Amino acid sequence: MGTTQAGGGATVRRLLLGSQLRKLRESRGVSREEAGYSIRASESKISRMELGRVGFKERDVADLLTLYGVDAEQERANVLGLVREANATSWWHDYGDVLPAWFQNYLGLEESAAEILSYEVQFVHGLLQTADYARAVIAAGPHGLPDQEIERRVEVRRKRQDLLTADHPPQLLAVLDEAALRRPWGGPELMRGQLDTLLELSELPNVRLQVRPLGGAALGAESGAFSVLGFNEAELADVVYLEQFTTALYVDKPAEVASYRQAMDGLLAESLEPGPTRDLLHSVRQEL
């Protein structure tokens, strides 16, 4: 798979496995409570499994397959094979000491996505940050982190960026508010380096960067920063990611996702096209 990391694949397998188990359960008319009882677990555990938000034990899945009447040896083998793939260790597991669980969930979705739509107001998107920019932003946070933890968090952002040049990279459509470009993190030299990187990355065939200029009407931007992640697998619903101060929200109800996609359409309409965006990046750089 070239430079594509294995962790994202595990996330997709977990989501697909959960979806498959839900369909099997519903086709047999089994309630979540009944399914939970069969594996010595709660109804909420079955719900989390079907949403792909927990790991899977092969024994539990085997017991559920029996409950759902899946007796064919090959079909059982296919599903149980997904269990092993879904439980593969992700690269960010090594950074569990500095990454909250809610953000590890996002990393898996990000690496699994075929399409990432992003709107950022305060900061350059993490996939587009230089190490110096990331270091300045993390160090300025409210927690007063020790230098070692800051560096480990910077490493995570650097590793995330390998995604953009992987063998099968996602399409990234990033709308960036001009205010983020003019916020002087770390001083002029650091920001010139960040702007140079944005100019370079915006030339990648899978990256479309558009800047929303100052003075816009704020149509469609009432929610603040958000990301929409889409997947190639038809069984997987799009997910909206909303990062908050100490946690994150994951929205996957189709009507709500559609509202965020509509908001993104509005933001794109208010933003400069890629060519004029690069002109603005050059202009901001010259002003530093």
Side-chain angles (χ1 to χ4, degrees), residues 51-209:
L51 291 170
R53 293 178 181 170
V54 292
F56 295 85
K57 293 180 180 179
E58 193 165 334
R59 184 187 69 174
D60 289 345
V61 174
D63 288 347
L64 289 173
L65 292 177
T66 299
L67 178 66
Y68 302 155
V70 179
D71 300 320
E73 184 176 343
Q74 188 57 56
E75 186 176 1
R76 291 178 68 91
N78 290 342
V79 175
L80 293 173
L82 272 179
V83 174
R84 291 183 284 275
E85 295 176 18
N87 290 334
T89 301
S90 307
W91 64 261
W92 53 86
H93 177 79
D94 292 338
Y95 295 88
D97 58 320
V98 298
L99 294 178
W102 53 263
F103 189 66
Q104 294 181 50
N105 290 337
Y106 173 76
L107 291 178
L109 293 171
E110 184 178 74
E111 286 209 339
S112 305
E115 175 189 48
I116 302 171
L117 310 179
S118 170
Y119 174 54
E120 290 287 346
V121 186
Q122 300 288 340
F123 311 105
V124 171
H125 191 280
L127 287 174
L128 305 174
Q129 293 180 7
T130 65
D132 287 340
Y133 182 97
R135 187 175 295 109
V137 168
I138 295 168
H143 306 299
L145 300 175
D147 290 345
Q148 184 178 6
E149 181 168 343
I150 291 173
E151 290 307 313
R152 285 176 59 71
R153 293 189 180 210
V154 171
E155 284 179 24
V156 170
R157 295 201 187 178
R158 181 185 59 76
K159 287 178 179 288
R160 283 173 63 194
Q161 292 165 2
D162 291 342
L163 190 63
L164 294 180
T165 52
D167 291 344
H168 302 287
Q171 294 293 318
L172 172 63
L173 196 166
V175 173
L176 180 62
D177 198 282
E178 183 181 348
L181 300 176
R182 297 188 178 278
R183 191 165 288 107
W185 292 104
E189 184 176 355
L190 185 155
M191 288 304 299
R192 279 193 289 268
Q194 178 61 73
L195 290 164
D196 287 342
T197 293
L198 288 175
L199 285 163
E200 180 182 348
L201 292 175
S202 70
E203 299 286 355
L204 290 175
N206 56 304
V207 175
R208 182 182 179 94
L209 176 63

Side-chain angles (χ1 to χ4, degrees), residues 20-33:
Q20 194 166 350
L21 290 174
R22 177 182 58 78
K23 290 176 182 177
L24 287 170
R25 178 182 60 76
E26 291 176 345
S27 71
R28 300 291 292 189
V30 177
S31 70
R32 289 194 181 94
E33 185 178 10

Side-chain angles (χ1 to χ4, degrees), residues 211-268:
V211 169
R212 183 171 174 274
L214 295 173
L219 296 175
E222 295 89 346
S223 68
F226 64 90
S227 294
V228 182
L229 301 105
F231 308 91
N232 280 330
E233 293 76 11
E235 303 94 323
L236 299 185
D238 293 352
V239 176
V240 176
Y241 173 73
L242 303 169
E243 188 168 318
Q244 301 180 330
F245 190 60
T246 59
T247 187
L249 295 178
Y250 294 88
V251 177
D252 59 6
K253 292 182 179 178
E256 295 182 44
V257 173
S259 294
Y260 279 95
R261 282 192 173 272
Q262 185 176 7
M264 178 59 75
D265 289 341
L267 290 164
L268 287 169

